[in-house]
Amino acid sequence: MESGISSTNAADHQWRKQLDQFVKANSQELAALAWGLHLQDPEGDSTLGIDVEPTPHFITCPREALVALNEKVDNQLRVMMGVVENHNPQIEVLLLGVSRGQIQAIQYQPQPEPPQCFEDVGEDVDTLIDRLEQRMQTAIDSPSQA
């Protein structure tokens, strides 16, 4: 019996599911990281991302690159671009997951809000990045390794 899902589609689905689970399990620390990065560059126009390949790690996605990508794919990312354009770092977290030429936006409103998460966690940005990347590497399988 076949499931109707090719191995490529199954791998694509798997990283997305694992990314969602990772975000849920680490929502407060991700909110703290997002706010800490915002404090470092309050006028910046980059969005925090997670690149799953070759191993899961954080990236920044400059607005100009997202606009260029949207144009390249005939405006198919317009909904995601609206989310990016209207993102409010004071009250919500926005992450872009990237793998195999695919992109997934994850947006949520943590309780407490990101500034309070940053204060509660009490760690600097570099420490948060290191800790979260270590967790990511055990929680998310790279599709190229699946």
Side-chain angles (χ1 to χ4, degrees), residues 23-38:
V23 169
K24 285 177 186 170
N26 296 280
S27 65
Q28 300 297 302
E29 285 178 297
L30 286 166
L33 174 59
W35 184 251
L37 290 169
H38 173 74

Side-chain angles (χ1 to χ4, degrees), residues 43-102:
E43 301 304 317
D45 64 352
S46 290
T47 301
L48 181 61
I50 296 174
D51 188 351
V52 177
E53 296 187 277
T55 59
H57 61 281
F58 288 108
I59 59 172
T60 55
C61 304
R63 184 181 180 285
E64 309 85 53
L66 294 172
V67 168
L69 175 61
N70 189 40
E71 289 171 2
K72 186 175 181 179
V73 296
D74 297 325
N75 203 31
Q76 292 180 29
L77 302 176
R78 66 185 167 277
V79 172
M80 185 190 73
M81 292 304 298
V83 170
V84 169
E85 296 285 331
N86 295 300
H87 173 63
N88 182 347
Q90 286 271 111
I91 61 170
E92 60 197 7
V93 176
L94 175 60
L95 297 167
L96 300 179
V98 180
S99 179
R100 287 192 175 179
Q102 297 181 10

